[in-house]
Each structure stands twice: as structure tokens, then as C-alpha cells.
């Protein structure tokens, strides 16, 4: 029998309290998707604050020797019957912006589930259980230290909660223009530290203190009638006093301040001074009410409960088991959910991450929550194991039928979005952009190992033909997704569209209900033909003519991947530059043969354009660059430095705004991006060596720290104008060639440095090829008016039937809406 006192004394030196900066992972296991609600609960290490499910806590003990764990087990409380509940009902009005209590903001739904929480101390390896009341017989010093650590862990914001708050605070608040000259009336009232109420309606929550006259009023009314009665905003309209602070959010760190004049949450650097005018010492105040950020998080997490899904009018059969696991919406995360469901339906990703999960976990660093491969493998295992694919417990209402508890991959979402200006937030995102972001992350983390991205990678062949000289230029580029335009002129129902538009305009004039929507029906073949159609280049600089010419550009496939991904370019920009969606129906075939779109390279009767750069100067004016100033002006008006725009036009051979913009976007991180264009025949400034800046020793050291040689680092930096970020991308995309060259050099007795000095042209990343016959196996659909709002679901064909994945709901699809998809995934049909 293990003595409790002896066991506690032996682990006491390892028990510590969370400090500022510590991440307390008390919501999710580091290696699985277990939570405190899962069977067995969650074990939180009281030294590292990492969380573990039962299968992994012993492995952590064996690896680190840490023995003291806080065990959390949460059990949902039975819901009380509420006949007035509208659970499952759709909202009266669709949210159009991320706002609270404002026109177009979020609706308020039912309260989150409440839990009963069981807490106890566990000592390994015996799994000795010590209840809170079991500490009473211990020495006071031991009892106080252990109790303080337990209380601190329970009180600390979990790592996922901190991430959510940071994500929403990512919408940076600006300093109010009124902060430094705010008028504050003499004889203002002294505000007590508690007991506030609205001066008009006696409400005692959601209260705002006007910082000019000290009046306290309630905030805006939410959609469900809760919140306030709009008395604070009414007071502003009557007085013009602009700034108000939310009572209950004032702490020594700050408070929620709203500017009615600027119609936004703002920062007030003089907040302490302004509050002291009313006798409020913010250094002594404590938080008693939710901040607006926290309210946004809470409401946004609930939004998935009322989203109407496709096929909502049909009784769908719920599916459970391996490969049929739902993913919880973590706040506008449906774009991630849909994309990752498709990715882990592909065998290459299953082999890479799920089948090698044990090896990945064994090699994981001390903090596995920050390891990409670990978190991807964990997500894949959660989706494919079937362990979490179970009916949700006691969900009520028709809309909740078929709902799973599912998985909540908070660590994965936080890690893959880390440092990204968009994916680190909880705003809605474009699924296509996220897919490419995930592909890029896989590329960076698959150095010298098998790369599942190869199933998507293909080459596009571009042919440019000078119409005057009839000579041609062929280039190839690597792609992972093909964007297809939507040729509206190819609609099969033009007469119906004209009649609908006339009826719609008439109904708007007469203030009558709008007619039933008529969508343009576009054949998928028309989208492919639009991609392959010749594009005229009016400002093409011809190397054969040494002058501007007109050219035709055509695109074809240079290779066909195992999985071909299409994006339908449904989103365009309105006159206000806000992305809008084309509401079209695309006739997408189940089977596809793209053989006719394969390129053949240079033909026998074609002559190549000379590989000559455009001249920097004219014969008459030796120092005047020949640049299309209209294109330069276009780029400058977009906010880019003028010198960068001039270089973009020059280095793309005056071939138009689109090519110049592509150059700008790919060179924005160059250290000399905004430096003047240096003309041929003109001496470079003294600070610039003739051969260009040598690679930075700091950048070289950074790349060497990733496991590359000095020569490889130098080569990567020289190939990317000494840009560290681009050099890292370059070296990862050329890793197979670099490794092959190194192996060949060693076999031939040459050094790597000797090989690099030869400056061999770099080969592209490995590309698979095969026949051009495909079968549709998955598609992601978007509901909403733009990528900034709405909802994503995906359909995947499994075992001969279509399955719909709508966050936590996984069902057999009755009528898969293939014509309304946004991203389509085709799988090669083997001969």
C-alpha cells in the first residue's frame, strides 16, 4: 500500500503553479483528441501543463519522469425541460457581419451545455488517487502548495481559450481620435465600484459609462431581445458625447471602450485618467462581466447549430464508424473541417500520417502541441479510427438528429494558423486558400521524407506565340489546384435568365416578393474550354522583334496528377471591391477525360523565341527605361512602391498588368523590393557589389540550423535574391534534387561545394504523370454571398455512395448537389 503523504512529498518539488506565458492544455490531449468529457477524462501534468488521455499519460511519465497529474473528468448535466426553447430553429435573419447587437450581427442561441466536474490528484506510476479532501491530513505546507497548484490550474485560461481570445483580438483596435482631447464635465458623479444600473430602465447588466458626463446606460439590444434597450446609443445621439466604457470589464490591464462617433471598439491610452475623473481607480477594479471579445467567441461558437445545410429537406441516414467522424465547428472553422475531411479520404495522407503515427509520436519534441506532424497525425487518427464517431448524447430537436459529439481539433487549428494573418483568426476563410496553405505547410515539413502532396502536384504548360514573328516560347509552372473561369456567355438557359432579371427588377419596383431564383446553367466543358482558350497579350515584348508585339497565350496540362483539384471561380469583385459570388449551376460530370488538353511542347514546325531579356534603355535615350507607364500607374494606385512597380514591369517584359502583379506578389519580401531599378551600363551604387549582395551570414546560419549544408544555404539564398523566406520555400521544393546531387557528388569523389559552384540549373519538384481520365470523388460546397461569410460542407464518395460532412453531422447523401460545388476533387481512373 502506497503511503499518500510519502507519495506527495516525493513529487512536491515537481509541482508548480502556472506562470505568465505558460500554456495550460486542459481541454485536449497532446497526442489524441481526448478531452475531459471523454471516457477516462484528461490528465494534466502539474509540471509541463500538457494534457494527456489515459493511453498517453504513462508514455509521458516514462519519457519525462513526471509523476504528478491533475485528473479532470466532466459529465454533462441533464438538461431541464424548457417548452419555450426554439432549439434547432433557423434564425430569423442571416448574419452579415461579425458584430454583436448591431444591424447584420449574430443571433443568440441556447446556452452551452453545463457539466459536473470531478477533480482529483493522480500519482504515477501507481495511479494513486488523492481526492481534494484527502489533503486535509497532510502538513500545512504540503497541503497549501498542492491546493494552490490545483486551484491555479483550474482557474487558468486553457491554451485553446487563450488562442480564441487572441484570434478575435487580432482585429486590432485603433486609438480613438477622442482619447487625447476628451471633454469631461465638471461636477461629474462619483461612480461606486458595484451596484450599477441603467439610468432609464434599471437594467443591471450590459452597462456602459459615458466618459464625458458619467451617465450610465444599457447597451444595444441583441437579436433575441436580450442585451439592453439601446439607451447608451440614444444618449450619444442626444449629446454627441463619444466615448463609453463597459462597466464590469475594467481591470488594471484596461477595459472595453466604444466610440459611438467612430462606430467601433477603440483604445484609450488615457483610460486611467478618464476613469479617475469619476472616482474610479482602475488598478483596484476586477472583471465582473464578459468583454465584447468573449461575447463574440461564445456566440460565434454557437452559430453552427442553426446553419441550414444542403439536403436539409430530406431525412438523411446518419453514419457512424471509421471514416465517418464529424468535426465540431470551433467558430467559423467549417472551411477547415470540409477540407481536412477530403484530405484524409486520400490514401497518400493516410499512409503518411495515420499509418506512421507511432513513429511520429515517438520522434515528437518536448512540446508536441507545436509539432506539425504530430497534430496532423492526431487529426487523421481521430477522423479515421471511428473512436469518436458516436451519436451525440441526448440532443433534442429534429435538427440535432444524426449529430455526433465528433472531434474538436483545437491544437491543429491553432498550430496551422500560427503566424498567418487570416487563419490565426476566427473569421470565415476561403477553403481554397486554406487548402493551398495546408499544402505549403506539408511541403515545409516533408524534407527528405515521403511527400503526400505529390498526388496533387502537376505541371501547366504555357505557350506564348508572337503573332508578328510567329515564333513561340514555352514555359511550365507547378500547380496543386486548377482555377476554372465561369463563362457566363455559355449559359444554356439565357432566355430564362433574361425573363427572371426583368421579373426581379419589376418586383423590386412594385415592392412585391421576388420571383423564384433562376441560376445560370453552365456546362463544365465550357469552363475547361475557357481555361484552354487563347488569351491575347497586347503589350507583349517580342525578343524576336526587339519591340512590343501582340501575342497569344494558351495553357495546357504538361502532366496529369493522381488527384486533380478544380476550383470554380465563382467569386468576383463588385463595384465596391467587396467579393461577391456568382450564383451558378455547373454541369459537373462524374467522369472526365482531359486527354485533349495535354500539351505537347515545342512542335517540329515551331521556332522558339530568342532567350533575350528586354532592353533597359532606348537607343536615343541611354538612361530612359522602356516601360509601360500605364501598367506602372495601375500598380502604384494599388499602393505598391513606384520603384518596385517599375521593376515588375521591366522584369516581366512589359507583358501586362497581370504578369507584373504576379511579380510584385512573389517579390514583396525581397530586401531590395523598393530599391531603384539599376539600368544596364550604369554603375551600381558603391554599397552594392557588382555581383549582387552576398548572402547574409545570419540567413545562412538560420538555414543551416534546419539541417542543410552551408553550400545549400548559399545556393538557396542566391537563387532568391537573398530573401530568407523565399529561400526556405526554394530549398524545400528542391530538396530531392539537392539530396540527389549530394549523393552523386559523394559517389564521384567530389565535394558538395564543387558541385554547387557549377551552378547547375535547378530542377523542379517531383511530379507524377499518368492518363487524363478521372472520376469525381469529392467536392466542397459554399453557402453564402462571399468568402467572408457563409458556411462550407463537403461530399465524399465512399464505398460507392455519397456522404455529406457538415461539421458534426455525417450522413448518407440522397441528392448530392454536384452542380453547386466550389472545389472539386477528381481521382485518376486506372487503365
Amino acid at each position: 500500500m502506497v503511503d499518500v503523504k510519502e507519495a506527495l512529498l516525493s513529487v512536491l518539488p515537481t509541482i508548480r503553479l502556472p506562470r505568465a506565458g505558460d500554456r495550460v492544455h486542459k481541454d485536449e490531449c497532446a497526442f489524441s483528441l481526448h478531452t475531459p468529457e471523454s471516457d477516462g477524462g484528461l490528465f494534466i501534468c502539474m509540471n509541463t501543463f500538457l494534457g494527456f488521455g489515459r493511453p498517453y499519460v504513462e508514455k509521458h511519465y516514462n519519457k519525462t519522469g513526471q509523476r504528478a497529474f491533475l485528473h479532470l473528468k466532466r459529465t454533462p448535466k441533464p438538461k431541464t425541460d424548457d417548452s419555450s426553447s426554439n432549439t434547432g430553429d433557423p434564425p430569423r435573419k442571416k448574419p452579415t457581419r461579425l458584430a454583436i447587437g448591431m444591424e447584420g450581427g449574430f443571433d443568440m442561441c441556447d446556452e452551452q451545455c453545463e457539466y459536473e466536474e470531478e477533480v482529483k490528484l493522480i500519482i504515477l506510476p501507481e495511479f494513486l488517487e488523492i481526492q481534494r479532501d484527502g489533503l486535509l491530513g497532510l502538513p500545512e505546507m504540503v497541503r497549501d502548495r498542492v491546493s494552490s497548484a490545483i486551484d491555479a490550474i483550474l482557474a487558468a485560461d486553457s491554451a485553446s481559450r487563450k488562442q480564441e481570445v487572441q484570434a478575435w483580438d487580432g482585429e486590432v483596435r485603433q486609438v480613438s481620435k477622442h482619447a487625447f482631447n476628451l471633454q469631461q464635465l465638471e461636477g461629474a458623479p462619483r461612480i461606486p465600484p458595484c451596484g450599477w444600473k441603467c439610468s432609464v430602465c434599471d437594467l443591471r447588466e450590459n452597462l456602459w459609462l459615458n466618459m464625458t458626463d458619467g451617465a450610465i446606460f444599457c447597451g444595444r439590444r441583441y437579436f433575441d431581445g436580450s442585451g439592453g434597450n439601446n439607451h447608451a446609443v440614444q444618449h450619444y445621439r442626444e449629446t454627441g458625447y463619444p466615448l463609453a466604457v463597459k462597466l464590469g470589464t475594467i481591470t488594471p490591464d484596461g477595459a472595453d471602450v466604444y466610440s459611438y462617433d467612430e462606430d467601433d471598439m477603440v483604445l484609450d491610452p488615457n483610460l486611467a485618467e478618464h476613469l479617475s475623473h469619476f472616482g474610479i481607480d482602475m488598478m483596484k477594479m476586477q472583471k465582473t462581466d464578459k468583454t465584447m471579445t468573449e461575447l463574440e467567441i461564445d456566440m460565434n461558437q454557437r452559430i453552427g447549430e442553426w446553419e441550414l445545410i444542403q439536403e436539409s429537406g430530406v431525412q438523411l441516414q446518419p453514419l457512424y464508424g471509421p471514416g465517418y467522424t464529424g468535426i465540431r465547428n470551433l467558430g467559423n472553422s467549417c472551411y477547415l473541417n470540409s477540407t481536412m475531411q477530403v484530405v484524409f479520404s486520400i490514401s497518400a495522407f493516410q499512409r503518411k500520417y495515420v499509418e506512421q503515427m507511432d513513429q511520429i509520436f515517438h520522434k515528437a519534441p518536448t512540446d508536441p502541441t507545436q509539432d506539425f506532424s504530430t497534430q496532423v497525425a492526431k487529426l487523421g487518427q481521430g477522423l479515421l479510427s471511428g473512436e469518436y464517431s458516436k451519436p451525440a448524447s441526448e440532443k433534442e430537436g429534429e435538427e440535432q438528429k444524426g449529430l455526433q459529439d465528433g472531434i474538436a481539433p483545437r491544437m491543429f487549428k491553432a498550430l496551422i494558423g500560427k503566424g498567418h494573418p487570416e487563419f490565426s483568426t476566427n473569421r470565415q476563410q476561403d477553403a481554397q486558400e486554406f487548402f493551398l496553405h495546408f499544402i505549403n505547410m506539408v511541403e515545409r515539413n516533408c524534407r527528405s521524407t515521403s511527400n503526400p502532396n505529390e498526388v496533387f502536384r502537376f505541371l501547366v504548360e504555357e505557350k506564348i506565340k508572337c503573332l508578328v514573328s510567329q515564333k513561340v516560347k514555352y514555359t511550365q509552372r507547378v500547380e496543386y489546384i486548377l482555377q476554372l473561369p465561369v463563362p457566363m456567355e455559355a449559359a444554356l438557359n439565357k432566355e430564362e435568365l433574361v425573363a427572371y432579371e426583368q421579373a426581379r427588377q419589376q418586383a423590386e419596383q412594385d415592392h412585391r416578393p421576388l420571383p423564384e431564383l433562376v441560376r445560370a446553367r453552365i456546362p463544365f466543358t465550357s469552363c475547361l474550354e475557357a481555361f484552354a482558350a487563347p488569351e491575347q497579350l497586347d503589350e507583349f515584348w517580342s525578343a524576336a522583334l526587339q519591340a512590343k508585339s501582340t501575342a497569344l497565350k494558351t495553357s495546357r496540362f504538361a502532366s496529369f496528377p493522381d488527384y486533380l483539384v478544380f476550383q470554380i471561380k465563382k467569386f468576383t469583385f463588385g463595384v465596391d471591391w467587396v467579393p461577391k459570388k456568382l450564383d451558378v449551376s455547373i454541369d459537373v460530370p462524374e467522369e472526365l477525360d482531359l486527354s485533349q488538353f495535354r500539351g505537347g511542347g515545342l512542335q517540329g514546325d515551331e521556332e522558339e523565341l530568342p532567350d533575350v531579356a528586354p532592353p533597359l534603355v532606348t537607343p536615343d535615350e541611354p538612361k530612359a527605361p522602356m516601360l509601360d507607364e500605364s501598367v506602372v500607374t495601375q500598380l502604384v494606385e494599388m499602393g505598391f512602391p513606384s520603384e518596385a512597380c517599375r521593376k515588375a514591369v521591366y522584369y516581366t517584359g512589359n507583358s501586362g498588368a497581370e504578369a507584373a502583379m504576379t511579380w510584385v506578389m512573389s517579390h514583396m519580401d525581397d530586401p531590395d523590393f523598393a530599391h531603384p531599378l539599376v539600368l544596364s551600363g550604369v554603375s551600381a551604387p558603391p554599397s552594392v557589389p557588382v555581383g549582387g549582395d552576398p548572402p547574409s551570414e545570419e540567413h545562412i546560419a538560420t538555414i543551416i540550423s534546419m539541417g542543410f549544408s552551408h553550400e545549400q544555404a548559399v545556393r538557396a539564398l542566391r537563387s532568391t535574391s537573398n530573401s530568407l523566406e523565399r529561400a526556405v520555400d526554394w530549398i524545400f521544393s528542391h530538396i530531392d534534387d539537392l539530396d540527389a546531387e549530394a549523393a552523386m557528388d559523394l559517389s564521384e569523389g567530389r565535394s558538395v561545394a564543387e558541385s554547387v559552384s557549377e551552378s547547375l540549373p535547378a530542377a523542379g519538384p517531383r511530379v507524377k504523370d499518368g492518363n487524363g481520365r478521372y472520376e469525381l470523388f469529392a467536392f466542397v460546397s459554399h453557402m453564402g454571398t462571399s468568402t467572408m461569410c457563409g458556411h462550407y460542407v463537403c461530399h465524399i464518395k465512399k464505398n460507392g455512395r455519397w456522404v455529406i460532412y457538415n461539421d458534426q453531422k455525417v450522413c448518407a447523401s440522397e441528392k448530392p448537389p454536384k452542380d453547386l460545388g466550389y472545389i472539386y476533387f477528381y481521382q485518376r481512373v486506372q487503365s
Side-chain angles (χ1 to χ4, degrees):
M1 186 72 178
V2 180
D3 182 73
V4 172
K5 179 179 178 181
E6 182 180 337
L8 271 177
L9 289 174
S10 66
V11 300
L12 194 62
T14 67
I15 295 177
R16 65 187 187 91
L17 276 66
R19 297 188 299 266
D22 282 335
R23 294 192 298 267
V24 181
H25 297 280
K26 59 181 184 180
D27 288 338
E28 181 181 342
C29 172
F31 291 106
S32 72
L33 288 150
H34 278 69
T35 69
E37 295 85 58
S38 303
D39 292 342
L42 196 69
F43 296 80
I44 297 100
C45 176
M46 299 185 73
N47 181 269
T48 65
F49 308 117
L50 292 171
F52 301 95
R54 182 62 175 81
Y56 294 99
V57 65
E58 284 184 278
K59 293 182 179 180
H60 180 69
Y61 160 70
N62 292 329
K63 186 175 183 178
T64 66
Q66 297 297 334
R67 300 177 57 201
F69 295 84
L70 185 66
H71 182 257
L72 291 184
K73 180 69 178 79
R74 295 196 192 110
T75 306
K77 291 182 180 179
K79 285 190 175 182
T80 56
D81 183 31
D82 185 357
S83 59
S84 63
S85 173
N86 291 323
T87 302
D89 291 342
R92 292 189 296 259
K93 188 173 182 179
K94 180 181 69 174
T96 57
R97 60 174 294 188
L98 294 179
I100 302 174
M102 298 175 64
E103 180 63 24
F106 286 109
D107 196 358
M108 299 280 287
C109 299
D110 54 14
E111 293 182 355
Q112 302 234 9
C113 182
E114 295 183 356
Y115 293 93
E116 293 179 352
E117 190 170 74
E118 180 185 357
V119 180
K120 53 190 173 185
L121 188 64
I122 303 292
I123 308 295
L124 265 64
E126 302 87 355
F127 281 89
L128 175 66
E129 297 186 5
I130 305 174
Q131 303 291 341
R132 291 292 295 270
D133 55 13
L135 300 174
L136 297 177
L138 298 173
E140 183 178 356
M141 182 191 72
V142 176
R143 183 176 66 248
D144 290 347
R145 178 171 181 136
V146 174
S147 296
S148 297
I150 293 175
D151 292 339
I153 292 174
L154 294 176
D157 284 335
S158 67
S160 60
R161 181 68 177 179
K162 281 186 176 180
Q163 174 65 27
E164 289 169 351
V165 172
Q166 289 169 359
W168 284 92
D169 281 346
E171 299 180 14
V172 180
R173 297 176 183 177
Q174 303 297 321
V175 174
S176 172
K177 64 183 181 181
H178 303 288
F180 298 104
N181 57 0
L182 181 68
Q183 177 190 9
Q184 291 193 291
L185 303 183
E186 295 296 331
R190 308 292 286 181
I191 305 300
C194 59
W196 315 295
K197 64 179 181 179
C198 176
S199 301
V200 177
C201 63
D202 290 344
L203 277 181
R204 295 181 178 273
E205 58 185 17
N206 190 20
L207 299 175
W208 294 79
L209 169 70
N210 189 287
M211 289 197 290
T212 293
D213 61 3
I216 297 176
F217 295 100
C218 59
R220 306 193 198 218
R221 181 180 294 111
Y222 302 146
F223 278 107
D224 65 346
S226 66
N229 293 317
N230 299 322
H231 290 140
V233 68
Q234 288 176 11
H235 181 66
Y236 162 72
R237 289 168 183 159
E238 295 169 358
T239 64
Y241 300 154
L243 296 187
V245 60
K246 187 176 184 184
L247 295 173
T249 69
I250 303 171
T251 70
D253 296 324
D256 275 359
V257 178
Y258 190 84
S259 172
Y260 292 101
D261 179 39
E262 296 158 285
D263 194 22
D264 205 353
M265 301 296 297
V266 295
L267 296 177
D268 179 6
N270 296 327
L271 181 61
E273 178 185 341
H274 292 155
L275 291 175
S276 66
H277 184 73
F278 306 104
I280 298 176
D281 183 354
M282 65 182 290
M283 301 306 295
K284 297 180 179 179
M285 297 296 288
Q286 294 183 349
K287 181 173 171 289
T288 60
D289 199 359
K290 288 186 177 181
T291 65
M292 300 303 286
T293 294
E294 291 170 329
L295 285 171
E296 284 184 290
I297 292 170
D298 291 342
M299 283 186 281
N300 197 40
Q301 285 177 324
R302 302 184 189 116
I303 194 169
E305 296 178 4
W306 55 253
E307 273 287 5
L308 293 176
I309 66 169
Q310 297 186 47
E311 304 184 69
S312 58
V314 181
Q315 186 65 44
L316 301 178
Q317 175 193 353
L319 299 176
Y320 305 100
Y324 299 108
T325 303
I327 307 178
R328 296 184 201 175
N329 194 314
L330 303 178
N332 280 332
S333 63
C334 51
Y335 67 91
L336 179 151
N337 297 353
S338 298
T339 302
M340 298 312 299
Q341 290 282 12
V342 176
V343 165
F344 273 111
S345 296
I346 296 173
S347 58
F349 286 88
Q350 296 173 5
R351 289 193 300 270
K352 172 67 178 180
Y353 293 106
V354 181
E355 294 179 11
Q356 298 184 36
M357 183 182 70
D358 291 339
Q359 297 95 304
I360 291 172
F361 288 177
H362 180 71
K363 296 178 181 178
T366 305
D367 186 357
T369 68
Q370 301 302 301
D371 182 61
F372 179 80
S373 295
T374 296
Q375 295 308 314
V376 176
K378 184 174 84 172
L379 174 60
Q381 172 69 7
L383 291 175
L384 300 177
S385 67
E387 181 180 358
Y388 308 96
S389 181
K390 302 172 184 177
S393 54
E394 299 184 9
K395 296 287 183 181
E396 300 176 359
E398 289 297 317
E399 283 295 315
Q400 304 303 315
K401 287 185 177 179
L403 204 66
Q404 301 182 10
D405 282 330
I407 59 176
R410 294 183 177 91
M411 287 184 189
F412 171 78
K413 183 177 184 297
L415 182 61
I416 198 167
K418 186 177 181 180
H420 192 281
E422 292 298 329
F423 301 127
S424 61
T425 75
N426 280 18
R427 294 188 292 266
Q428 184 61 279
Q429 304 298 336
D430 188 336
Q432 177 257 355
E433 292 180 2
F434 175 77
F435 172 74
L436 291 178
H437 176 65
F438 175 76
I439 291 295
N440 185 49
M441 293 290 289
V442 172
E443 291 287 341
R444 293 188 178 193
N445 287 273
C446 284
R447 176 180 176 267
S448 301
T449 62
S450 61
N451 189 339
N453 282 347
E454 291 179 3
V455 300
F456 296 128
R457 193 184 295 145
F458 64 98
L459 294 175
V460 173
E461 174 189 282
E462 280 194 351
K463 169 185 170 182
I464 297 179
K465 181 177 182 180
C466 173
L467 295 182
V468 177
S469 68
Q470 296 297 304
K471 295 182 179 181
V472 299
K473 177 182 180 180
Y474 282 89
T475 58
Q476 291 184 345
R477 69 176 190 269
V478 175
E479 296 286 1
Y480 294 89
I481 188 170
L482 188 67
Q483 295 180 313
L484 293 181
V486 180
M488 298 299 291
E489 67 277 5
L492 301 176
N493 56 338
K494 293 179 181 177
E495 293 183 359
E496 291 180 63
L497 292 171
V498 171
Y500 165 75
E501 186 60 26
Q502 292 175 345
R504 186 188 65 80
Q505 293 179 3
Q506 189 62 49
E508 287 182 347
Q509 292 176 6
D510 299 342
H511 302 288
R512 292 185 288 104
L514 296 179
E516 184 177 350
L517 175 67
V518 175
R519 292 187 176 92
R521 299 202 309 273
I522 311 292
F524 188 75
T525 52
S526 297
C527 298
L528 285 170
E529 290 166 358
F531 152 74
E535 176 188 353
Q536 182 167 312
L537 305 177
D538 294 325
E539 298 293 331
F540 175 72
W541 189 87
S542 172
L545 303 175
Q546 290 291 296
K548 285 185 180 181
S549 169
T550 302
L552 288 181
K553 182 177 76 172
T554 54
S555 298
R556 294 290 186 273
F557 290 95
S559 69
F560 289 119
D562 292 345
Y563 288 83
L564 186 54
V565 186
F566 293 104
Q567 177 205 9
I568 304 299
K569 296 175 69 175
K570 290 185 174 183
F571 295 100
T572 183
F573 287 97
V575 293
D576 54 359
W577 288 98
V578 174
K580 295 182 180 180
K581 189 165 98 173
L582 300 175
D583 201 350
V584 295
S585 171
I586 307 293
D587 183 17
V588 177
E590 286 269 359
E591 297 183 352
L592 195 61
D593 190 346
L594 300 173
S595 302
Q596 61 177 311
F597 296 104
R598 182 187 282 273
L602 187 68
Q603 301 300 302
D605 58 347
E606 293 178 333
E607 185 178 352
E608 280 191 281
L609 282 163
D611 188 13
V612 179
L616 280 164
V617 296
T618 63
D620 299 330
E621 297 182 58
K623 294 186 179 181
M626 292 179 59
L627 301 176
D628 188 333
E629 292 298 334
S630 64
V631 176
V632 174
T633 302
Q634 278 184 266
L635 298 178
V636 171
E637 289 177 349
M638 295 180 186
F640 299 108
S642 59
E643 290 298 338
C645 300
R646 291 168 62 81
K647 286 195 287 189
V649 174
Y650 165 67
Y651 286 119
T652 55
N654 286 314
S655 55
E658 183 177 352
M661 173 59 79
T662 301
W663 188 96
V664 167
M665 299 306 292
S666 62
H667 290 78
M668 287 180 66
D669 294 328
D670 291 0
D672 61 347
F673 177 64
H675 292 182
L677 175 63
V678 179
L679 304 181
S680 178
V682 179
S683 299
S687 60
V688 182
V690 176
D693 290 334
S696 162
E697 289 299 328
E698 182 181 352
H699 290 176
I700 292 174
T702 299
I703 296 177
I704 291 176
S705 70
M706 299 179 184
F708 299 100
S709 70
H710 182 277
E711 292 76 12
Q712 290 171 332
V714 170
R715 179 171 175 180
L717 288 165
R718 288 193 180 279
S719 299
T720 55
S721 302
N722 296 333
S723 168
L724 177 60
E725 184 175 358
R726 290 175 55 220
V728 172
D729 288 335
W730 185 94
I731 205 167
F732 276 117
S733 64
H734 293 78
I735 187 61
D736 294 329
D737 306 299
L738 294 173
D739 289 345
E741 289 174 12
M744 183 179 297
D745 296 335
L746 293 174
S747 66
E748 296 179 1
R750 293 186 297 165
S751 70
V752 177
E754 290 172 335
S755 174
V756 173
S757 67
E758 296 177 4
S759 300
L760 296 175
R766 183 179 302 161
V767 175
K768 295 184 177 181
D769 197 7
N771 70 68
R773 295 189 299 278
Y774 290 91
E775 179 180 9
L776 182 66
F777 103 96
F779 60 95
V780 174
S781 304
H782 174 268
M783 294 173 283
T785 54
S786 81
T787 54
M788 296 185 294
C789 65
H791 185 58
Y792 286 96
V793 300
C794 71
H795 288 73
I796 305 174
K797 198 171 188 178
K798 292 192 174 184
N799 300 321
R801 68 177 175 186
W802 284 98
V803 178
I804 180 173
Y805 293 81
N806 179 32
D807 290 341
Q808 289 170 258
K809 205 167 187 177
V810 181
C811 300
S813 175
E814 295 292 333
K815 297 178 181 179
K818 296 191 290 288
D819 60 322
L820 300 179
Y822 175 49
I823 305 174
Y824 294 91
F825 294 78
Y826 277 86
Q827 182 178 10
R828 193 199 317 276
V829 176
Q830 301 297 334
S831 301

